[in-house]
Amino acid sequence: MTSSKIILTGGAGLVGQNLAIRLKNSGHSDIVVIDKHRHNLDILRRTLPEITAIHADLAEPGAWQASFAGAKAVVMLQAQIGGTDYNQFVRNNMGATKRVIDAMRSHDIRHLVHVSSSVVQSSSNDFYTDTKRAQEILVIESGIPCTVLRPTLMFGWFDRKHLGWLSRFMKRVPVFPIPGNGSYIRQPLYVGDFSKIIISCIEQNITSGIYDISGHEKIEYIEMIRAIKRATGARTFICRIPYRLFHGLLWLWACFDKNPPFTTQQLAALVARDEFAVTDWPGTFGVPCTPFALALQETMNDPRYSNVILEF
């Protein structure tokens, strides 16, 4: 076991939950997770009761800053992904990042792994994309030795927003709508593989470089949905509907839900037809790429954690 402290900021989300499990399984014993989502933290505490879980808003000063003392590395995960309030994106993607950087400087922590996003190179122009670009610039210009990872769409255990939500929705409705023809290329990345890449950065002391981490399999959105249906055994009927109608339904949903799981901006990003470079990250980080079908089966049917997906 290694006792070097590792801080995961925004660590109760999709990547953080998976990363914490794999850090522990890799022999790391001093893991600190800071997140403002109490429900997600409670799930993490039940899954890994031995780690330190701190409920705090990183955009505000507080006692959480003292927890950085003696840390070897920080993995920056906090991000506002969805929503309709631009100010929340600025607050959580930029304001919180500035405070984390300040805390690292105060405690002289010289190793940062920043989880950026492939969207920083996208043609999209939305709240998430704009503030993730600004967040990455803040990290790079901080002067702290850092590795920048730009993953594509991720899926895996504890997936609330992406394939996990789609799988839950699929089981609840008789008809599953697909916008337009559904032939939008996706490059889903298994979060288990991505977690191992982060661990490789920490253990190999990789403290520089910008790395595009895309899924190695390119799959049309509609085929991805069909694969989820097969993996979950759902009986829903997959139906293509006109893009404008789909957009209108999302807009109507947002009128009643201030934190919708899927927004019109995310729909626009889905159909933007961005394709990202497939790089040799397995060779760079020594992490084999898990085939999509195998990773999907593990996500949906693993008896250890698949049941937790339902409440995440």
Side-chain angles (χ1 to χ4, degrees), residues 185-205:
I185 293 296
R186 302 284 87 187
Q187 292 167 260
L189 175 66
Y190 182 40
V191 73
D193 292 346
F194 188 64
S195 297
K196 293 175 184 176
I197 289 172
I198 295 173
I199 294 170
S200 178
C201 289
I202 294 170
E203 294 182 345
Q204 296 184 44
N205 200 35

Side-chain angles (χ1 to χ4, degrees), residues 182-254:
S183 61
Y184 321 113
I185 293 296
R186 302 284 87 187
Q187 292 167 260
L189 175 66
Y190 182 40
V191 73
D193 292 346
F194 188 64
S195 297
K196 293 175 184 176
I197 289 172
I198 295 173
I199 294 170
S200 178
C201 289
I202 294 170
E203 294 182 345
Q204 296 184 44
N205 200 35
I206 300 173
T207 58
S208 64
I210 299 174
Y211 301 90
D212 297 318
I213 312 292
S214 60
H216 276 208
E217 295 176 61
K218 295 184 179 182
I219 180 171
E220 290 187 347
Y221 178 74
I222 192 168
E223 292 303 321
M224 187 174 74
I225 296 302
R226 288 169 177 157
I228 295 172
K229 180 180 176 180
R230 288 193 296 271
T232 59
R235 298 185 177 183
T236 188
F237 175 71
I238 298 173
C239 176
R240 296 180 178 93
I241 68 172
Y243 176 86
R244 289 185 180 275
L245 174 58
F246 197 99
H247 185 282
L249 292 172
L250 289 180
W251 179 86
L252 184 63
W253 189 335

Side-chain angles (χ1 to χ4, degrees), residues 4 8 20 35 39 46 86 90 117-118 141 171 181 237 242 249-250 262 293:
S4 297
L8 312 183
D35 204 293
H39 175 69
R46 293 204 307 272
Y86 177 68
V90 172
S117 171
S118 60
E141 293 182 347
K171 290 181 176 180
N181 60 18
F237 175 71
L249 292 172
L250 289 180
F262 197 59

Side-chain angles (χ1 to χ4, degrees), residues 119-140:
V119 301
V120 301
Q121 302 179 91
S122 168
S123 60
S124 300
N125 186 23
D126 52 55
F127 296 164
Y128 176 65
T129 302
D130 292 347
T131 53
K132 284 298 285 186
R133 288 182 183 130
Q135 183 189 43
E136 186 179 292
I137 291 170
L138 283 172
V139 168
I140 293 171

